[in-house]
Amino acid sequence: MTNSLLEFRNLTKRFGGVTALDDFSMHLNRGEILGLIGPNGSGKTTSFNLLTGIYPASGGSIFFDGEDITNKSPRKVYEAGVVRTFQRSRLCLPLSIYDNIMIGDTSRLKTGICANLLGRKAFRKQYEETFEKARSLVATFSGNLADRMMEPVGALPMIERRRIEICRALISEPRLLLLDEPSAGMTHDETDQLMTDILDVRARGEGLSIIIVEHEMGVIERITDRCVVLSYGRKIAEGSYAEVAADAEVQNAYLGVD
Amino acid sequence: MTDIAIDTPSRPKGWLPGVLTILFVAVYSWALLIAEEDWEVMGLIALAAAVVVLGLFTGLGNKVKASWSAHEKPLNLGALIGVLAVIFTLSDQHFPLLMLTTTLLYFLASLGLNIQFGYTGMVNFAGAAFFGAGAYTAAVFGNVEWFPPLLTLVAGGLVAMALGLLLVYPIVRTTGHYAAVVTIAFGVLFKTFLEVNEILGGPQGLMVNSMRLPGWDFNNSPTLFGMEASFYFNYAVFAAILVAVIFTFVRRMERSWLGLHMDAVRLDETAAACFGISIHRTKILAFLSGNLILGIAGALYGMMISFIAPTSFTFSDSLLMVSIVLLGGMGSPWGGAIAAAIVVLLPEKLQILQEYRFLLFAVLVMLVLLFRPDGLLPRQIRNYFPGARNGQ
Ligand SMILES: Nc1ncnc2c1ncn2[C@@H]1O[C@H](COP(=O)(O)OP(=O)(O)OP(=O)(O)O)[C@@H](O)[C@H]1O
Ligand SMILES: [Mg+2]
């Protein structure tokens, strides 16, 4: 068994004439927090989309825990223990906070049609347990939200929605969490708090690995063990934050594009 | 459990607003069903409009809502009793009972469409075809001597479900408008098939045998309190109970993980898939269970009107069913009841409207979509166990 939980091997993705990912290889160690950084349009979100099975790869392969999961369906990837948040929030706005979080968990509960329709007693028990579980997870991020579990998500400000989206990803006790710009639209302090909360949840469980895409370099510096830098779909640097930040090519890529 | 309702200061728990609503609706329906003169009907419509406006602007509507969610089970039962009471008071009147039962069966059909369209977002423009499939099944099986009529009802549902199985593959494979086109094509094909099929009576249609339960022949007029009731009385009572049972199941479906998955699929397929929800399984389940209900409703409808023809199940009828869901509110079962009453009763009661009924509904749907896009009775946020302490 290798030490790496996730491995990209020569991953390539083309959208028509655009090569969004170009021969991208990298790995993630177990329990590691990896920063995936790079200028706009460098292929960060695309690599999440390939990993979670939303788009098929044009070439290369993805291994998770030693198993080839290239082009597996999103469902299979979820079942393997990979969850994500989205750069543009994808919550179900008319549904309650509780409902949105449960979307992240119910397919694991494996209840059949009969159990849902006829076994209301057992269902109620499941409902009460999951409600408590979801509520206490939300309480880690915001005590205020935990008191509003039955309110529609659409009524919440963007920051709160981001928190809910992270809870939806965490509720299933995943092995790998993919965060796509979790701090977008937040103030510095709010971002700091959010990261502390995520680390809190991580410390409670066993060995959650995280890949975080983030433009806020302070966040990357604070929480990542290692960074991978993309530019135009290619990996241009890899190493600790201090190492990549000092890299001439990285500085060039950021200055050249931004 | 945590009591999150602490936050809400006013928390009306009384059952009175709910009970008064049931009483009012029962008396109102009774009056509307027996009204004959145009001015009577107009007056009742004006009254309904006034009550709606009053309910919206005085907060009475919210009181009723709160009352209903705090005491849902007894109030739902009360609503059933209210319907039965109206049926008893009209027991010897053919036409009003026929109208009422038709409304109930269209309401039932709308529950099926609601699962497909309202919860899962799958538009079905062949509702009348599946309803018709149920009715034709009832006609065929009803003629088989040894086949129990109660099972005929189930068979109607199963046949509609089987036809849905044929359609569901292309529907699940295509998205959005294309899926809608698939259902339109099926609806048109179904009618054409009936017209050319000699065994099923061709354009002339078929006779349907009546419903029979052990010791209860629906063709006989029962005697109530020494008075002979209409034979429609049988169908009205049976339909009311059937609707109540299926309503309960639809609600349970909504308030379970199945219903949650349906919402997730409707609102964001990509996100749903990323959390392991099977899009195909959810859509197939929704489409087939919706069709089951449509077929059952159609079978009982066929038995009641005792004669069916292809012209009873046209594309316009399918549109009418979809407009019931839109008018009532997507995903709102009770909305379907109100909308079914409007769609079925209005043109029957106001003969002047009869010719323009499709125009009228088109205008009505457009007005509702413009000014009240969530329907007449918008869907409430999902509450798995109403009346329970968390999630008031
Ligand atoms: N579905 C798509 N169809 C066509 N092109 C796409 C698609 N998704 C991404 N691209 C292109 O692929 C490239 C990489 O995009 P991607 O979203 O992965 O960048 P990113 O690193 O996440 O950028 P940002 O920091 O702006 O979020 C871009 O040029 C983008 O236009
Ligand atoms: Mg991105």
Side-chain angles (χ1 to χ4, degrees):
Chain A
M1 200 165 89
T2 56
N3 191 39
S4 63
L5 179 65
L6 177 76
E7 214 182 320
F8 287 174
R9 293 187 191 158
N10 312 100
L11 204 58
T12 301
K13 178 66 189 176
R14 282 181 286 271
F15 293 106
V18 181
T19 304
L21 272 186
D22 192 0
D23 211 22
F24 178 32
S25 297
M26 68 137 200
H27 73 280
L28 172 79
N29 297 317
R30 286 170 202 279
E32 190 176 35
I33 301 184
L34 180 85
L36 185 58
I37 55 181
N40 289 113
S42 56
K44 305 178 297 289
T45 300
T46 301
S47 53
F48 280 5
N49 285 343
L50 295 192
L51 171 54
T52 52
I54 292 179
Y55 295 136
S58 310
S61 48
I62 304 170
F63 283 79
F64 183 75
D65 204 12
E67 200 187 325
D68 187 350
I69 59 159
T70 327
N71 301 340
K72 282 265 161 62
S73 69
R75 186 159 165 230
K76 284 269 155 47
V77 177
Y78 167 85
E79 281 166 1
V82 182
V83 295
R84 66 178 291 181
T85 64
F86 296 88
Q87 186 169 358
R88 275 216 209 114
S89 167
R90 297 192 87 133
L91 291 169
C92 298
L93 299 186
L95 304 187
S96 65
I97 297 178
Y98 171 71
D99 275 359
N100 270 284
I101 292 175
M102 285 316 287
I103 284 174
D105 208 24
T106 47
S107 51
R108 288 188 330 142
L109 297 173
K110 294 250 187 306
T111 48
I113 297 171
C114 291
N116 274 293
L117 294 184
L118 302 174
R120 287 305 271 186
K121 279 245 170 62
F123 180 80
R124 176 153 199 160
K125 194 158 160 276
Q126 203 171 52
Y127 163 74
E128 278 167 1
E129 281 167 12
T130 54
F131 189 90
E132 207 35 61
K133 185 175 154 201
R135 208 192 57 79
S136 73
L137 179 61
V138 172
T140 316
F141 288 84
S142 156
N144 167 37
L145 281 183
D147 292 336
R148 304 167 62 184
M149 293 293 284
M150 284 300 177
E151 287 179 32
V153 165
L156 301 175
M158 209 57 207
I159 297 167
E160 304 285 37
R161 292 188 198 171
R162 294 229 164 249
R163 295 189 171 121
I164 305 291
E165 214 176 342
I166 291 169
C167 290
R168 177 174 72 176
L170 286 173
I171 189 82
S172 58
E173 292 157 23
R175 299 170 68 193
L176 171 58
L177 170 67
L178 310 173
L179 295 169
D180 200 344
E181 296 195 26
S183 79
M186 292 191 180
T187 66
H188 187 80
D189 289 349
E190 285 163 348
T191 310
D192 237 29
Q193 189 56 49
L194 184 70
M195 293 306 146
T196 308
D197 296 339
I198 292 174
L199 294 180
D200 261 9
V201 175
R202 179 166 174 269
R204 266 186 253 147
E206 280 159 47
L208 171 69
S209 308
I210 299 177
I211 302 180
I212 177 169
V213 167
E214 186 53 70
H215 285 293
E216 187 70 48
M217 287 307 148
V219 172
I220 294 290
E221 182 173 15
R222 182 183 148 205
I223 74 164
T224 61
D225 301 314
R226 208 156 54 85
C227 294
V228 167
V229 190
L230 283 173
S231 173
Y232 294 107
R234 291 170 156 277
K235 184 169 81 178
I236 56 167
E238 183 173 1
S240 70
Y241 176 75
E243 282 164 13
V244 299
D247 189 290
E249 203 177 347
V250 173
Q251 290 176 352
N252 203 6
Y254 268 93
L255 293 176
V257 174
D258 275 341
Chain B
M1 288 250 79
T2 330
D3 192 349
I4 70 154
I6 295 166
D7 283 351
T8 24
S10 69
R11 193 175 165 209
K13 276 189 128 313
W15 43 265
L16 197 62
V19 172
L20 290 180
T21 307
I22 294 172
L23 279 178
F24 173 77
V25 172
V27 173
Y28 183 90
S29 320
W30 172 82
L32 185 63
L33 284 165
I34 56 161
E36 271 168 7
E37 302 297 327
D38 274 359
W39 66 265
E40 291 172 345
V41 177
M42 294 288 203
L44 283 167
I45 293 173
L47 174 65
V51 169
V52 167
V53 170
L54 204 73
L56 283 180
F57 290 99
T58 59
L60 270 179
N62 287 334
K63 281 225 173 87
V64 174
K65 237 187 266 171
S67 162
W68 211 283
S69 48
H71 306 275
E72 203 187 88
K73 264 188 196 155
L75 286 177
N76 280 349
L77 192 64
L80 174 62
I81 293 170
V83 173
L84 291 174
V86 173
I87 294 171
F88 271 89
T89 52
L90 296 172
S91 60
D92 57 346
Q93 313 225 19
H94 290 302
F95 192 65
L97 278 182
L98 174 63
M99 288 291 85
L100 179 58
T101 316
T102 307
T103 305
L104 285 171
L105 292 178
Y106 266 72
F107 171 34
L108 188 56
S110 85
L111 289 178
L113 277 186
N114 198 25
I115 295 177
Q116 302 172 334
F117 186 30
Y119 296 155
T120 322
M122 310 167 79
V123 204
N124 179 358
F125 283 118
F130 296 120
F131 191 78
Y136 268 89
T137 309
V140 172
F141 280 98
N143 286 329
V144 181
E145 200 69 38
W146 51 267
F147 204 82
L150 192 60
L151 279 190
T152 305
L153 215 57
V154 179
L158 291 179
V159 167
M161 210 162 113
L163 289 174
L165 206 53
L166 286 180
L167 268 198
V168 91
Y169 182 74
I171 290 180
V172 166
R173 292 249 115 189
T174 51
T175 47
H177 305 309
Y178 296 103
V181 171
V182 171
T183 63
I184 294 177
F186 176 80
V188 174
L189 262 174
F190 179 78
K191 185 173 171 255
T192 316
F193 167 78
L194 291 178
E195 277 168 350
V196 298
N197 191 309
E198 286 305 317
I199 306 169
L200 293 178
Q204 273 77 46
L206 277 181
M207 293 288 295
V208 191
N209 273 335
S210 62
M211 184 74 190
R212 262 173 295 119
L213 293 178
W216 185 10
D217 186 343
F218 281 45
N219 245 346
N220 286 345
S221 310
T223 315
L224 297 168
F225 314 113
M227 284 214 314
E228 191 176 318
S230 156
F231 79 94
Y232 285 123
F233 174 82
N234 301 307
Y235 285 98
V237 170
F238 188 75
I241 294 168
L242 185 67
V243 168
V245 170
I246 292 180
F247 183 92
T248 308
F249 274 98
V250 172
R251 271 295 201 208
R252 280 190 180 188
M253 183 176 246
E254 180 195 343
R255 290 164 177 174
S256 70
W257 308 140
L258 302 176
L260 180 61
H261 289 181
M262 289 173 184
D263 281 327
V265 167
R266 181 184 82 251
L267 294 163
D268 192 334
E269 279 192 23
T270 305
C274 283
F275 291 101
I277 294 173
S278 167
I279 311 290
H280 286 191
R281 178 176 178 263
T282 307
K283 283 189 171 176
I284 291 171
L285 176 70
F287 201 73
L288 295 191
S289 49
N291 265 17
L292 179 71
I293 296 175
L294 281 164
I296 291 175
L300 189 61
Y301 181 75
M303 292 175 177
M304 175 179 73
I305 60 171
S306 78
F307 183 80
I308 52 173
T311 46
S312 320
F313 311 109
T314 62
F315 179 57
S316 325
D317 296 298
S318 294
L319 281 182
L320 221 58
M321 289 182 179
V322 172
S323 64
I324 292 180
V325 177
L326 285 175
L327 276 178
M330 298 254 282
S332 158
W334 277 122
I338 294 179
I342 293 176
V343 166
V344 174
L345 296 183
L346 222 51
E348 292 296 341
K349 282 292 157 184
L350 286 178
Q351 289 299 327
I352 4 163
L353 292 180
Q354 187 66 276
E355 264 178 70
Y356 302 100
R357 60 194 205 128
F358 288 113
L359 185 69
L360 174 79
F361 295 138
V363 171
L364 207 60
V365 167
M366 276 193 276
L367 286 179
V368 166
L369 290 185
L370 267 178
F371 296 106
R372 220 175 143 75
D374 294 329
L376 295 172
L377 215 62
R379 178 176 179 184
Q380 303 289 297
I381 202 151
R382 176 185 287 96
N383 192 344
Y384 291 82
F385 294 94
R389 267 152 62 88
N390 54 317
Q392 2 116 35

